[in-house]
Amino acid sequence: MEYFDFVDQVKYEGPKSKNPLAFKFYDAEREIYGKKMKDHLKFAMAWWHTLCADGTDMFGSGTMDKSFGQTPATMDHARSKVDAGFEFMQKLGIQYFCFHDADIAPEGKNLAETNKNLDDITDYIKEKMDETGIKLLWGTSNLFTKPIFMNGAGSSNSADVYAYAAAKIKKAIDCTVKLGGTGYVFWGGREGYETLLNTDMKFEQENIANLMHMAVDYARSIGFNGDFYIEPKPQEPMKHQYDYDAATAIQFIEKFGLEKDFKLNIEANHATLAGHTFEHELRVAAINNMLGSVDANQGDLLVGWDTDQFPTDVYATTLAMLEILRAGGFTTGGLNFDSKSRRPSNKPEDWFEAFIVGMDSFALGLIKAVAILEDGRLDQFIQERYASFNEGMGKKVRDKATNLEELAAYAETLEEPLDPGAGKQEYLEAVVNQVLFSN
Ligand code: XLS
Ligand code: CA
Ligand code: CA
């Protein structure tokens, strides 16, 4: 059965095309900066937003029909989502997907039945993967929706809930390995707390880290050689999160000795919720060798919650791609559209158009980031800005070959006032605008 019969294959038609169901900038096979566009960008479809989310919000029920002709929460529905999902990815030329266990199969009456559903659906997904060549980017377990996780999963006060979470993680790792995934994500939505009055913070954090160590040991024992990722996010849904932003998550990873196996999955909207830019979070990850994968979306800067919009801001995608290129590009990771069409964008055409603008915005970001690197003025400015560390006392500092007494004696020989040099932010912003808009 064909679910999206209004479109055959979404093709690249170039910047002048007015066809809403064509790419204007994403030209998958185009070589740029040493690789094909599709290999730089490694786009992935998020199972949850694309095939499950129906537009429900705090104030209203669903606006989108995602039953795909079947009764929701049945195995027939799960299979029809697989069919619809693979048709969707093929028509858009998307080569990867990401999932939570709960997105792909309905819950059974107990763990054993749920696991059986997961076995059956992953058999079916695997068939489709073999048929189409589409691959799994990463898998994860949903440890936040069920009421038992109300106090957290790895950070739960209940040892039984902790064991249940471990069972879910074990099975989600099995599914990820079975489908050849290159990443496994921990997004700790409920791994935080509401009030310190009821919380042993130190114990909770140690328990989360232990669970991660056990997950690594198990996954390695069954042949997983991909990366684990922590996905930082502040506040939502818990008030205080243990994985607030990239710097906090890196501190956690290093404190608990997880750095050999873990990197970060950076999400644009989570960066802005933490009061950072997307490029800031990418840079913090990159300079710590922790840039693993990216959840590509954008938030609404006028509201304070996680709106998971499709990325359309080319300035932001350009600065993000600049960070990703400077870090050497993706290895195990990619760009997962953790994005949903707006609640009133409720027709299947809208879902295609949402992906098209997201993919085009990142393609433009890639093209413009390469242009910034080739232009060279930004890199050159930064090099010159720190040039005083290339000789004399500056070089001694760089080489860690001096001490406080020597620096103090040197400082007394300097003519005051000192001039550290202008930051020239406006000039640099003008350079970026020129690269963005000059052709
Ligand atoms: C929620 C997160 C979640 C993770 C995977 O805000 O973005 O969807 O990506 O659990
Ligand atoms: Ca995410
Ligand atoms: Ca999000």
Side-chain angles (χ1 to χ4, degrees), residues 22-34:
F23 295 118
K24 321 297 181 297
F25 303 101
Y26 179 58
D27 185 2
E29 301 296 323
R30 174 175 160 192
E31 290 269 348
I32 176 167
Y33 210 61

Side-chain angles (χ1 to χ4, degrees), residues 46 48-49 100 138 185 187 231-233 265-268 270 294-297 306 308 336-339:
W48 54 103
H49 283 317
H100 302 84
W138 53 256
V185 164
W187 170 62
E231 182 182 321
K233 181 180 183 183
N265 182 39
I266 299 292
E267 179 173 320
H270 298 180
V294 168
D295 272 8
N297 61 16
D306 193 17
D308 284 347
N336 168 45
F337 285 109
D338 193 352
S339 316

Side-chain angles (χ1 to χ4, degrees), residues 211-389:
L211 193 55
M212 289 176 173
H213 273 293
M214 289 190 268
V216 169
D217 291 347
Y218 176 69
R220 299 301 182 217
S221 80
I222 61 162
F224 177 65
N225 49 28
D227 284 322
F228 287 86
Y229 309 124
I230 288 183
E231 182 182 321
K233 181 180 183 183
Q235 295 146 357
E236 250 188 274
M238 297 307 253
K239 186 165 65 177
H240 298 283
Q241 285 290 141
Y242 297 140
D243 50 3
Y244 192 93
D245 62 1
T248 316
I250 290 169
Q251 183 269 347
F252 182 92
I253 288 171
E254 290 183 343
K255 173 172 180 189
F256 291 106
L258 292 157
E259 64 278 0
K260 257 190 19 272
D261 301 283
F262 272 80
K263 292 192 161 66
L264 300 181
N265 182 39
I266 299 292
E267 179 173 320
N269 201 165
H270 298 180
T272 46
L273 290 178
H276 300 306
T277 59
F278 186 17
E279 62 271 20
H280 165 90
E281 288 291 85
L282 293 168
R283 178 74 65 91
V284 170
I287 63 173
N288 288 286
N289 294 320
M290 291 268 171
L291 182 51
S293 202
V294 168
D295 272 8
N297 61 16
Q298 71 186 27
D300 185 326
L301 298 181
L302 303 184
V303 299
W305 65 91
D306 193 17
T307 54
D308 284 347
Q309 291 167 227
F310 273 87
T312 58
D313 177 349
V314 175
Y315 205 98
T317 58
T318 300
L319 296 184
M321 286 312 301
L322 197 54
E323 296 304 322
I324 292 165
L325 291 177
R326 280 178 171 151
F330 292 119
T331 53
T332 51
L335 289 170
N336 168 45
F337 285 109
D338 193 352
S339 316
K340 54 188 177 197
S341 65
R342 296 303 83 198
R343 186 171 143 85
S345 297
N346 64 341
K347 305 289 183 302
E349 288 85 342
D350 297 312
W351 313 338
F352 272 84
E353 287 165 18
F355 269 82
I356 290 169
V357 72
M359 293 163 79
D360 268 341
S361 300
F362 264 95
L364 257 176
L366 169 64
I367 294 167
K368 295 299 177 184
V370 169
I372 287 174
L373 291 174
E374 286 172 348
D375 175 88
R377 278 177 288 174
L378 255 52
D379 283 337
Q380 192 192 343
F381 182 81
I382 290 174
Q383 262 190 22
E384 285 168 8
R385 187 157 184 248
Y386 298 95
S388 62
F389 288 91

Side-chain angles (χ1 to χ4, degrees), residues 3-4 6-10 45-46 50-51 68 81-94 134 310 347-356 359:
Y3 294 91
F4 309 108
F6 52 87
V7 58
D8 185 16
Q9 185 71 41
V10 177
M45 178 196 79
T50 315
L51 303 169
F68 303 110
K81 289 199 295 187
V82 177
D83 294 336
F86 276 83
E87 183 189 329
F88 190 81
M89 288 186 275
Q90 273 189 297
K91 288 187 166 174
L92 281 160
I94 289 186
I134 290 171
F310 273 87
K347 305 289 183 302
E349 288 85 342
D350 297 312
W351 313 338
F352 272 84
E353 287 165 18
F355 269 82
I356 290 169
M359 293 163 79

